[in-house]
Amino acid sequence: VEVNKAMCDFTGLNRAELKGKKCYEVIHGTDKPIPGCPVAEAKRTGTSTTSEILQGNNHFAVSASPVSDKNGNITGFTHIVKDITDKKIAEQTLKVERDRAQQYLKIAEVMMLALDTEGQVVMINKKGCNILGYEEQEIIGKNWFDLCIPPETTREVKIVFDNLIHGNYDPVEYYENEILTKYQERRTIAFHNSVILNEADEITGILASGDDITD
């Protein structure tokens, strides 16, 4: 019953040509709603609904909301379509990069460790788990200093960590310290440290690569 300019641009039809047409006829070239049609779902449930639909090579976020009269009777639906193709491509590219990074972490021959600003472990690679003797799920979310640093050196290592978190990382970019394994064995690790920044260039944690130099 009504469309905006974006809909006209998308279909290549003007308002007069679009009015009175079924949306699925115009958009999908079908004679009935496609599976997952949000308008059909909104009609069935009487509530707003949103879904993602693939049309050719394009991805769309499609929502539908009932329109009611003063007596609460549904008289129609608003239908909003947003092209999210670029977003989906970016997400897929990011996933590929993340998967590649995870593969690099798995095969790296040094410990790779990420801590948040509170010292909680947010990432550790396979080599790090092997050195420490823990499974990944036993480390993630734990406080690094409580779990893996000998008590008598905790204060010293926390000072190094605080320097990093406050941006003073030049003096402690390279630092050697002992760690405790799951079996209370002491190993000396040579760490190379860097900070993790968010989009606002705020420090959100540290990333450390550690080489076991005990022997």
Side-chain angles (χ1 to χ4, degrees), residues 41-167:
E41 184 65 13
K43 185 177 181 180
R44 184 183 69 83
T45 63
T47 60
S48 299
T49 185
T50 301
S51 62
E52 289 187 10
I53 292 176
L54 179 64
Q55 177 77 4
N57 293 322
N58 293 324
H59 293 265
F60 298 95
V62 186
S63 65
S65 300
V67 177
S68 303
D69 61 20
K70 62 181 181 180
N71 297 317
N73 300 311
I74 295 176
T75 59
F77 302 89
T78 57
H79 202 9
I80 300 174
V81 181
K82 183 177 182 180
D83 190 337
I84 57 171
T85 306
D86 291 343
K87 177 185 175 184
K88 299 299 285 189
I89 291 173
E91 287 176 351
Q92 182 61 32
T93 301
L94 182 61
K95 182 180 183 301
V96 169
E97 293 298 327
R98 283 176 174 167
D99 290 347
R100 183 181 295 124
Q102 286 295 326
Q103 186 63 26
Y104 291 158
L105 287 173
K106 285 180 182 178
I107 64 175
E109 282 304 307
V110 295
M111 175 191 294
M112 296 294 295
L113 173 75
L115 306 178
D116 66 15
T117 55
E118 300 300 319
Q120 308 296 322
V121 180
V122 295
M123 184 280 294
I124 188 166
N125 69 343
K126 182 178 179 181
K127 182 67 175 182
C129 292
N130 290 342
I131 290 173
L132 293 166
Y134 287 104
E135 297 295 328
E136 183 181 10
Q137 63 268 23
E138 295 179 287
I139 303 176
I140 298 297
K142 298 292 182 16
N143 185 280
W144 172 250
F145 306 101
D146 295 340
L147 186 67
C148 297
I149 302 299
E152 70 273 14
T153 61
T154 298
R155 183 177 180 276
E156 175 188 332
V157 177
K158 278 188 175 181
I159 290 173
V160 173
F161 177 77
D162 288 341
N163 271 291
L164 289 164
I165 291 300
H166 290 94

